[in-house]
Amino acid sequence: MPTAPTLELRRYSRLKNLRARAERQGAALQFWARTASLAVISCFFSLTSRWDASLLFVLAGLVLFQLVGLIQFLFARRRTARWWIGYLAGTLDIILLTVLLVTPNPFSLEVAPAAMQLREGSFKFLLIFVCLGALTLSTRLALYLGALAALTWAIGVGWVISHPGTVIPATNLYSLPMTERLNLYLNPNFVDTFAQATNVLVVLIIGAIMALVVFRSRHLSEDYVKAERARANLARHFSPNVVDQLATDDEPFGPVRRQDIAVLFADIVGFTHYSEDHPAEAVFELLRQFHRRMEQVVFDHHGTVDNYIGDCIMATFGVPQASHDDATRAIQCAEAMIAALEDWNVQRVSRGYPPLDVRIGAQYGAVVIGAVGSERNLSFAVVGDTVNVASRLQSLCRELQANICFGSRLIEAAKAESPTTPLNARDHGPMSIRGRDEPVHVWVEHRAENQGAIAVPA
């Protein structure tokens, strides 16, 4: 049996694979977001700028960015894609964009000082690529792109400042009189170092926020996977109307308690011989089909599948919360199980398979309900004399040649719930059952249309 560390490693491996797949999907989303962003920017410049060699240079740069994104996308969609592909493409994007933003357009007819490049507000385009990195759902990549954008922009600003003739404030700009500040702003060689330092700080903050958003998204997706897995596990045992309650309540079953419920056992007659004489694949396929049909009938009657014991299915009515018609629904469920089996037998015979015979026992009474097991493996249990009697009644069906054996307490409870409910079972009287000193009053039901059905052949 796997140890706890092994189970934890398997869980971590599954989550790692899910995250890798999410990152590949994020790379595709990043590509299409990049494509849309570049298309909008291209349209904007095309409509607002004069068509000349300078504009064509800008558009060529946008095409280059799209090619970088396309190459990254083609690599990222492979399952064997290297983790560093996103970092390499992001590095090329940031460095290339910074160079284009801080250096003059070589095809521009107007020559301006290098300091003027920093006043165009084009720094904002760096933020687009920082935000695009978050779409990959990689926290490290989002942090890396934010830090890289801040670093390259700081280097670009330093390169501009190093030009001869560049003017920077010797003191805090905002401590100067307004006239001096205006004179500095009107100087084309002036670089506002405070504003550029603010730009670096802003891109660092935005990169950190994007990384935090990615980190939060990854944890939310992990929580969602856990919740859906828990919901799927619950759906195997409980009817859909109960699953939501169990999935949302902290303690849906409450403390250990005694409660009156109906318990039902359904079993295929002759299954042991069938499993001995048929391949394992055929045995399990028969079990799956049987369980699938029977559990659907249980869920249709708002019951709970408590356990699968080989070919036997145990269902309860009144768990986790008691209802006003638990006994009635248990009786109706037992009869619906037989009817569902008859329909299935028609299909089986038409396909050349032998019909099946199922025996059902049900009883109503007090049981002990609670969670058992350890913190690592907690399960819900229903125990008590009522459970044992229901199981023995199912075994008694063969002796009495009955399809269903009901305990009298179940019949009495059903009559109390709804006196007008028709009962197809007949009173058979007290019967001794194995493991119990006192006899049990039994009601039996024979389905006339099922008299031709036979047990699973040996």
Side-chain angles (χ1 to χ4, degrees):
M1 182 176 179
T3 61
T6 303
L7 293 174
E8 186 64 25
L9 286 174
R10 290 181 180 176
R11 173 180 170 273
Y12 175 78
S13 178
R14 288 194 300 269
L15 288 175
K16 185 178 179 182
N17 292 334
L18 287 173
R19 286 172 177 170
R21 185 174 64 182
E23 289 182 10
R24 287 195 300 271
Q25 294 171 346
L29 180 60
Q30 181 193 44
F31 170 72
W32 293 113
R34 171 199 287 256
T35 301
S37 300
L38 294 176
V40 170
I41 294 172
S42 299
C43 292
F44 176 78
F45 282 123
S46 299
L47 295 174
T48 59
S49 304
R50 182 176 57 192
W51 279 84
D52 55 14
S54 177
L55 176 60
L56 293 177
F57 177 76
V58 172
L59 296 178
L62 295 176
V63 172
L64 180 59
F65 283 119
Q66 182 63 14
L67 289 177
V68 172
L70 178 61
I71 294 172
Q72 177 191 5
F73 171 64
L74 294 177
F75 276 101
R77 57 190 299 191
R78 300 180 181 178
R79 288 185 174 273
T80 57
R82 301 295 183 181
W83 62 268
W84 47 264
I85 296 295
Y87 288 84
L88 177 60
T91 301
L92 290 175
D93 284 334
I94 298 296
I95 293 178
L96 181 60
L97 181 58
T98 303
V99 170
L100 292 175
L101 293 180
V102 301
T103 58
N105 189 320
F107 295 95
S108 177
L109 299 178
E110 300 174 346
V111 179
M116 292 295 293
Q117 294 295 121
L118 302 180
R119 299 195 191 185
E120 301 296 329
S122 50
F123 161 80
K124 301 178 182 66
F125 292 108
L126 269 177
L127 301 180
I128 295 177
F129 286 92
V130 173
C131 294
L132 285 175
L135 295 179
T136 62
L137 292 182
S138 171
T139 307
R140 293 179 180 178
L141 181 58
L143 279 173
Y144 172 77
L145 292 180
L148 179 64
L151 176 63
T152 55
W153 188 252
I155 293 174
V157 172
W159 178 79
V160 171
I161 292 174
S162 67
H163 280 63
T166 301
V167 178
I168 59 174
T171 183
N172 185 356
L173 179 67
Y174 296 97
S175 65
L176 299 175
M178 180 60 67
T179 54
E180 292 186 31
R181 287 163 59 186
L182 288 176
N183 289 333
L184 285 174
Y185 278 122
L186 293 175
N187 187 338
N189 291 302
F190 171 68
V191 174
D192 187 347
T193 52
F194 180 81
Q196 298 308 321
T198 302
N199 287 339
V200 172
L201 179 62
V202 166
V203 75
L204 283 173
I205 293 175
I206 290 179
I209 291 175
M210 290 294 100
L212 185 61
V213 169
V214 172
F215 179 80
R216 177 61 176 160
S217 299
R218 290 166 69 103
H219 275 264
L220 284 176
S221 63
E222 181 177 340
D223 292 342
Y224 174 79
V225 169
K226 291 179 181 178
E228 287 304 306
R229 183 169 61 243
R231 188 180 297 270
N233 289 335
L234 290 171
R236 298 175 187 171
H237 301 277
F238 298 96
S239 57
N241 63 317
V242 180
V243 170
D244 288 336
Q245 174 192 345
L246 298 180
T248 55
D249 292 353
D250 292 331
E251 294 185 6
F253 299 116
V256 176
R257 64 190 185 277
R258 286 188 177 275
Q259 182 176 318
D260 286 341
I261 66 170
V263 182
L264 179 151
F265 283 86
D267 184 82
I268 301 176
V269 178
F271 182 78
T272 301
H273 296 295
Y274 179 86
S275 61
E276 292 173 352
D277 298 337
H278 289 78
E281 295 78 7
V283 173
F284 271 86
E285 181 59 26
L286 177 66
L287 278 179
R288 290 191 187 102
Q289 294 188 39
F290 174 70
H291 288 158
R292 184 171 62 249
R293 284 170 169 82
M294 295 301 105
E295 78 171 15
Q296 186 58 55
V297 175
V298 173
F299 292 164
D300 289 343
H301 291 81
H302 307 296
T304 298
V305 175
D306 183 271
N307 201 3
Y308 296 109
I309 311 169
D311 61 308
C312 180
I313 180 172
M314 174 184 170
T316 56
F317 299 82
V319 176
Q321 300 297 330
S323 181
H324 67 280
D325 60 348
D326 294 328
T328 302
R329 286 185 287 107
I331 293 174
Q332 294 172 345
C333 179
E335 295 174 343
M337 281 180 162
I338 297 298
L341 180 71
E342 291 166 358
D343 293 339
W344 187 25
N345 278 336
V346 172
Q347 299 176 24
R348 288 179 58 84
V349 172
S350 66
R351 296 173 183 174
Y353 296 105
L356 302 180
D357 192 10
V358 172
R359 297 292 184 256
I360 300 173
Q363 177 65 311
Y364 183 87
V367 297
V368 177
I369 299 176
V372 296
S374 64
E375 293 181 356
R376 256 196 338 261
N377 184 17
L378 200 64
S379 60
F380 187 68
V382 177
V383 296
D385 182 63
T386 301
V387 178
N388 297 331
V389 170
S391 177
R392 297 292 184 262
L393 289 174
Q394 183 274 322
S395 302
L396 190 63
C397 285
R398 184 178 303 182
E399 178 183 338
L400 301 180
Q401 295 297 306
N403 295 99
I404 310 172
C405 282
F406 297 122
S408 61
R409 292 199 60 184
L410 180 67
I411 300 297
E412 293 168 2
K415 289 180 178 179
E417 292 171 355
S418 178
T420 60
T421 300
L423 294 173
N424 300 314
R426 62 179 179 82
D427 190 348
H428 189 274
M431 291 287 298
S432 297
I433 61 173
R434 181 168 54 89
R436 204 166 190 274
D437 295 334
E438 298 181 3
V440 176
H441 201 115
V442 180
W443 288 61
V444 298
E445 183 171 333
H446 300 275
R447 303 283 288 190
E449 55 269 39
N450 195 44
Q451 293 300 310
I454 60 173
V456 175

